[in-house]
Amino acid sequence: MMIKVEEVINELIKPIPEPEKTVDTLIVGEKDKVVKGIGTTFMATYDVIQRAIDLGVNLIITHEGIYYSHHDQTDKWIQDPIYLEKRRLIESSDMAIFRLHDAIHLYKPDGITKGLLHSLDWGCYVEKNDLTESILTLPAMTLGEFAEYVKKKLNIPYVRVVGDVSQICKRVAVSVGYRGGGENAIPLFVREQLDLLITGEGPEWETPEYVRDAVQQGRKRALIFLGHAESEKAGMRYLAKKLKSVYPTIPVHFLDEKPVFQII
Amino acid sequence: MMIKVEEVINELIKPIPEPEKTVDTLIVGEKDKVVKGIGTTFMATYDVIQRAIDLGVNLIITHEGIYYSHHDQTDKWIQDPIYLEKRRLIESSDMAIFRLHDAIHLYKPDGITKGLLHSLDWGCYVEKNDLTESILTLPAMTLGEFAEYVKKKLNIPYVRVVGDVSQICKRVAVSVGYRGGGENAIPLFVREQLDLLITGEGPEWETPEYVRDAVQQGRKRALIFLGHAESEKAGMRYLAKKLKSVYPTIPVHFLDEKPVFQII
């Protein structure tokens, strides 16, 4: 059976109503090409694209944009040699690249958060899935134990933590990506009676400083920043698994990357 | 000589023309109170305010807002116990708090970047000071050596680094705060022929992923994220020094804080 790029895209966006505005788009490639192999990834780096080519993949599904801008505003670096070299690699490879960002976040529940909860083995502790986070009551552990647990389960070398590592936590919100900003995150602590928020990233002096003030006041608040990619790639790994069952005749790969930062 | 709060504020904003819009404001306190002690800080945490009270400070000059929002949009947590407790502490203390953000960034050169360069002992290597960064040609070191150097000079426990730690760098841009976003930072590499950008923070998949792609292509690019506070507090420390010379009769303190994150 010949599956075309467009059919895979339609499968991916099928769960949600047609949006008025979206960043999800076929960044490069033709809709009617036959799919020989699929690769899902958090963000198609230069190396991810090379590995995809080597694996015979001709459709990459990337969660984040490939040119370093959420709204693809690349006009300021359209002559940059790194940008141009990446374009050359893609154009010489007959690769299609689809960005799946808004749609997967709009799955019910959010497909990226669901993948993270799956990797954390926490699916059975979810009390509710809101639009931007899931709320869980977990077996009690200290903040330090939570940090070690998520590192081990997600196979990541470090997390950034705010709070008293000996604080016992059990009421936890899990969110992904850039949802650590104050406007989203701070109101959750009171509304959901949280001990701990686990998320991707956010501005450093909003939610982190709120949690520090809380601890300095002797109140229970804690925060773990997993990293943006580290919070979202489990969702793209989970998607690869799902696509394997939808298209059993097409090879489907999850294309992993190392953490972008080294801690020195 | 009796110095009033208003006179200190006027001294601080004197170097710049009156702005149309600014986040700089007397957050709390009265303009005509006599200043008994001044404290400068990156962001007045609960603990910083307590220390200020203990030191007899009645005017805190904070670079970032004290309620976790750049534009002071706190309506979503105006009933939050952490917010309320911080307000109570301030209101019970007869403290004035002035936010000095936009003005000091508009000093020529930027007062925050200047303080950082001073702490790094790099003042003599500056080739130019642009609006949002300074450009330097430094004695050649590897990226790893640069990371160790800035940690030692700024007394910070870790930095987040992207790139090959053995890469030799000498052409460097230094910027502060949230200026690590792609729109500001990516164009600098070509325009200023940078080997290395040292800045505060920025979204993780913009500039960091651009630098990773460059390295994967075998090109020279490197990035150090110091942390937002770590990149800006040297500027507030430098300001304390300056205020001491302007007001030799008033005690002036720089109120330091620990890094908001622990790495686990």
Side-chain angles (χ1 to χ4, degrees):
Chain A
M1 197 172 64
M2 301 291 216
I3 308 291
K4 291 182 176 170
V5 167
E6 191 168 25
E7 293 172 65
V8 178
I9 294 174
N10 288 339
E11 174 69 27
L12 293 170
I13 63 177
K14 193 176 64 179
I16 65 146
E18 195 167 338
E20 271 184 50
K21 258 184 166 181
T22 179
V23 297
D24 297 3
T25 183
L26 188 62
I27 299 169
V28 66
E30 288 154 39
K31 285 183 172 184
D32 58 358
K33 273 275 167 73
V34 173
V35 177
K36 296 173 195 159
I38 299 174
T40 73
T41 193
F42 166 67
M43 184 271 199
T45 63
Y46 191 77
D47 189 54
V48 158
I49 295 164
Q50 280 184 315
R51 275 186 279 145
I53 296 167
D54 294 345
L55 287 164
V57 162
N58 71 340
L59 172 59
I60 293 176
I61 300 157
T62 182
H63 184 61
E64 298 296 3
I66 60 174
Y67 295 125
Y68 333 115
S69 163
H70 185 61
H71 291 288
D72 213 27
Q73 286 163 323
T74 53
D75 47 306
K76 284 192 178 174
W77 50 88
I78 211 151
Q79 295 302 323
D80 184 288
I82 282 90
Y83 169 86
L84 291 172
E85 177 68 28
K86 195 171 187 179
R87 278 194 67 144
R88 258 194 302 275
L89 175 68
I90 295 164
E91 284 164 9
S92 69
S93 70
D94 200 35
M95 185 71 72
I97 303 183
F98 180 70
R99 183 169 181 202
L100 179 70
H101 181 275
D102 298 346
I104 195 167
H105 280 309
L106 289 171
Y107 290 4
K108 290 196 188 307
D110 181 319
I112 296 292
T113 312
K114 188 179 172 183
L116 175 59
L117 291 168
H118 177 81
S119 284
L120 291 169
D121 274 337
W122 284 351
C124 61
Y125 299 109
V126 173
E127 287 186 7
K128 60 172 175 166
N129 294 302
D130 284 335
L131 211 57
T132 53
E133 68 281 330
S134 293
I135 307 296
L136 300 85
T137 300
L138 285 155
M141 286 195 285
T142 66
L143 172 58
E145 286 165 344
F146 267 103
E148 294 300 342
Y149 180 88
V150 299
K151 280 168 62 180
K152 194 177 156 198
K153 281 288 179 184
L154 303 177
N155 190 29
I156 51 180
Y158 73 90
V159 288
R160 292 189 292 165
V161 172
V162 190
D164 171 1
V165 290
S166 67
Q167 184 199 304
I168 304 288
C169 304
K170 57 182 191 173
R171 185 79 177 163
V172 178
V174 174
S175 70
V176 298
Y178 209 87
R179 292 175 179 165
E183 203 184 329
N184 279 327
I186 293 175
L188 291 178
F189 282 92
V190 167
R191 199 177 75 217
E192 305 296 344
Q193 298 181 282
L194 296 187
D195 304 316
L196 169 62
L197 168 65
I198 300 173
T199 188
E201 63 164 328
E204 293 181 5
W205 69 266
E206 292 181 5
T207 314
E209 293 290 0
Y210 164 82
V211 171
R212 165 149 60 186
D213 273 354
V215 174
Q216 289 178 347
Q217 292 175 14
R219 289 170 205 265
K220 279 182 72 173
R221 297 277 191 279
L223 176 67
I224 297 176
F225 274 1
L226 299 170
H228 197 126
E230 288 65 35
S231 74
E232 297 203 306
K233 69 184 183 181
M236 297 307 282
R237 188 194 297 271
Y238 192 78
L239 177 69
K241 223 167 135 180
K242 211 170 80 176
L243 288 173
K244 267 179 207 168
S245 68
V246 180
Y247 305 112
T249 61
I250 303 176
V252 183
H253 307 269
F254 169 66
L255 302 163
D256 205 356
E257 253 296 3
K258 280 177 259 182
V260 70
F261 297 107
Q262 287 179 66
I263 296 290
I264 292 182
Chain B
M1 198 173 64
M2 300 291 216
I3 308 291
K4 291 184 176 170
V5 167
E6 190 166 29
E7 293 172 66
V8 178
I9 295 174
N10 287 340
E11 174 67 27
L12 292 169
I13 62 176
K14 192 176 67 179
I16 65 145
E18 195 168 337
E20 272 184 47
K21 259 185 168 180
T22 180
V23 296
D24 297 2
T25 184
L26 188 61
I27 300 169
V28 68
E30 289 154 38
K31 286 183 174 184
D32 57 358
K33 273 276 165 72
V34 172
V35 177
K36 295 174 196 159
I38 299 173
T40 74
T41 193
F42 165 68
M43 184 271 200
T45 63
Y46 191 77
D47 189 54
V48 157
I49 295 163
Q50 280 183 314
R51 275 186 279 145
I53 296 167
D54 293 345
L55 287 163
V57 163
N58 70 340
L59 171 60
I60 293 176
I61 300 157
T62 182
H63 183 60
E64 299 296 5
I66 60 174
Y67 294 124
Y68 334 114
S69 163
H70 184 61
H71 291 287
D72 212 27
Q73 286 164 322
T74 53
D75 47 307
K76 283 191 179 174
W77 48 89
I78 212 151
Q79 295 302 324
D80 184 288
I82 282 89
Y83 169 85
L84 291 172
E85 177 68 30
K86 195 170 187 178
R87 279 194 67 146
R88 254 194 304 274
L89 176 68
I90 294 164
E91 284 164 9
S92 69
S93 70
D94 201 34
M95 184 72 71
I97 304 184
F98 180 70
R99 182 167 181 203
L100 179 71
H101 181 275
D102 298 347
I104 194 167
H105 279 309
L106 289 172
Y107 290 3
K108 289 190 187 309
D110 181 318
I112 295 292
T113 312
K114 188 180 173 185
L116 175 58
L117 292 168
H118 177 81
S119 284
L120 291 169
D121 274 336
W122 284 350
C124 61
Y125 299 109
V126 174
E127 287 185 8
K128 61 172 176 167
N129 293 304
D130 284 336
L131 209 58
T132 52
E133 66 281 329
S134 293
I135 307 296
L136 300 86
T137 300
L138 284 155
M141 286 196 286
T142 65
L143 172 58
E145 286 165 344
F146 267 103
E148 293 300 342
Y149 180 88
V150 299
K151 278 168 61 182
K152 194 177 155 196
K153 281 289 179 184
L154 302 177
N155 191 27
I156 51 179
Y158 73 89
V159 289
R160 292 190 293 167
V161 172
V162 190
D164 170 1
V165 289
S166 68
Q167 184 199 303
I168 303 289
C169 304
K170 58 182 189 175
R171 185 79 176 162
V172 178
V174 174
S175 71
V176 297
Y178 210 87
R179 291 174 179 166
E183 204 184 329
N184 279 326
I186 293 175
L188 291 177
F189 281 93
V190 167
R191 198 177 77 217
E192 306 297 344
Q193 298 183 281
L194 296 187
D195 304 317
L196 169 62
L197 169 65
I198 299 172
T199 188
E201 64 164 329
E204 294 181 6
W205 69 269
E206 293 181 4
T207 314
E209 292 290 358
Y210 164 83
V211 171
R212 163 146 67 183
D213 272 355
V215 174
Q216 289 179 347
Q217 292 175 13
R219 290 171 204 264
K220 280 180 70 174
R221 297 278 190 279
L223 176 68
I224 297 176
F225 275 181
L226 299 171
H228 198 127
E230 288 64 35
S231 74
E232 296 204 306
K233 69 185 185 182
M236 297 307 283
R237 189 194 298 271
Y238 192 78
L239 177 69
K241 222 166 135 179
K242 211 170 81 177
L243 288 173
K244 266 179 209 168
S245 68
V246 180
Y247 305 111
T249 60
I250 302 176
V252 183
H253 307 270
F254 168 66
L255 302 164
D256 204 357
E257 253 298 0
K258 279 177 259 179
V260 69
F261 297 108
Q262 286 179 67
I263 296 290
I264 292 183

